[in-house]
Amino acid sequence: IFDTGSFELLVRSTRCSACAHPTPAYDHSLSTSYEKNGTLTKHVFGSGPCISMKGYEEIDVGPLKSHGQSFWEIVEHKIQVLDTANFAAIVGIGPNFAYGNQDKTLLMNFGVKEFSICLQRTPGSDGFMTWGSEVTADYKEKNYARANVIGKHHWVTRMHNVSFGKSPLNDNYANVPCTGGGCAAIIDSGTSLIAAPGLALQQLSTQIEPIMEDCSNMHLLP
């Protein structure tokens, strides 16, 4: 999974003997380019934490190559989705070094300064990850929306006046989140959830009809 919300490359590894492996896991003993580091660290994702061991490996994505790329083998985890998912790696594609880390990211070593991700709405549909630009600067200027990155370590931009695309119930604009100076928002391709401060979610809830406990009116929601 290509994750704009993280920075490092983590792989499901045969070192994790207690892990479920629905797809083949990385096996360092089969590699002729693996270099051991041995450092252990804890990574925490929205879906759970894991313990990983650092190493170096040759990483190829199509024609792109990175020799001696730092990566982490998952040796223990509490990420439930990894036990059933078809993916065996979390590829961090954040815009900078991880906080407190000076190892170059995969994007840096590939020399990629521009990429795009397309996730289709229909469940099970193909997704697309494009390394580099496919269109001209003129096309982007005419057809793309631009959001300035304000974060030092993440793809963070600013959101203003969040709503569901229509006027709030009873035109209650006092309960519209992110008015004034707006809110900082991380663009994270590694999750399908929208997480927000409790107050902002309470404000959004005033813009829609109450949700039934059995979710029977979900089809009426935005």
Side-chain angles (χ1 to χ4, degrees):
I1 185 168
F2 294 101
D3 183 15
T4 58
S6 64
F7 311 88
E8 292 149 327
L9 172 59
L10 281 73
V11 298
R12 194 157 31 77
S13 171
T14 55
R15 293 185 190 272
C16 186
S17 57
C19 295
H21 295 298
T23 56
Y26 172 80
D27 187 345
H28 70 280
S29 67
L30 301 179
S31 173
T32 58
S33 53
Y34 168 76
E35 297 180 34
K36 183 178 180 179
N37 176 283
T39 300
L40 291 173
T41 195
K42 183 178 183 179
H43 292 92
V44 179
F45 299 92
S47 52
C50 66
I51 304 298
S52 308
M53 178 183 291
K54 186 177 182 179
Y56 303 95
E57 184 59 281
E58 180 177 315
I59 308 296
D60 299 349
V61 177
L64 304 174
K65 296 182 182 293
S66 175
H67 301 282
Q69 174 67 49
S70 64
F71 79 113
W72 298 84
E73 294 180 73
I74 297 174
V75 298
E76 179 183 337
H77 75 82
K78 293 183 179 179
I79 304 175
Q80 188 174 5
V81 67
L82 277 182
D83 292 333
T84 56
N86 289 327
F87 62 85
I90 301 171
V91 184
I93 48 177
N96 208 329
F97 292 104
Y99 186 76
N101 191 341
Q102 292 303 309
D103 286 328
K104 287 187 175 182
T105 65
L106 194 62
L107 281 183
M108 292 175 180
N109 284 330
F110 279 167
V112 172
K113 299 183 180 298
E114 188 173 348
F115 63 88
S116 61
I117 297 174
C118 177
L119 303 176
Q120 301 186 82
R121 292 179 180 272
T122 304
S125 298
D126 291 337
F128 301 91
M129 171 75 186
T130 303
W131 302 88
S133 178
E134 283 190 305
V135 298
T136 64
D138 183 62
Y139 183 90
K140 284 187 287 188
E141 187 67 27
K142 292 179 180 178
N143 298 281
Y144 287 14
R146 180 184 294 273
N148 293 326
V149 175
I150 62 173
K152 181 180 294 185
H153 295 286
H154 291 85
W155 297 112
V156 179
T157 189
R158 197 165 290 283
M159 295 176 64
H160 298 270
N161 304 329
V162 179
S163 70
F164 289 106
K166 61 179 182 179
S167 298
L169 293 181
N170 303 319
D171 291 330
N172 188 6
Y173 288 96
N175 280 330
V176 175
C178 302
T179 56
C183 304
I186 296 177
I187 310 301
D188 186 359
S189 64
T191 180
S192 58
L193 301 176
I194 298 176
L199 176 60
L201 293 178
Q202 290 176 17
Q203 291 174 312
L204 279 175
S205 69
T206 67
Q207 299 183 22
I208 59 175
E209 300 291 345
I211 302 174
M212 303 298 289
E213 288 189 8
D214 62 357
C215 299
S216 59
N217 66 332
M218 289 287 284
H219 64 288
L220 300 176
L221 300 177

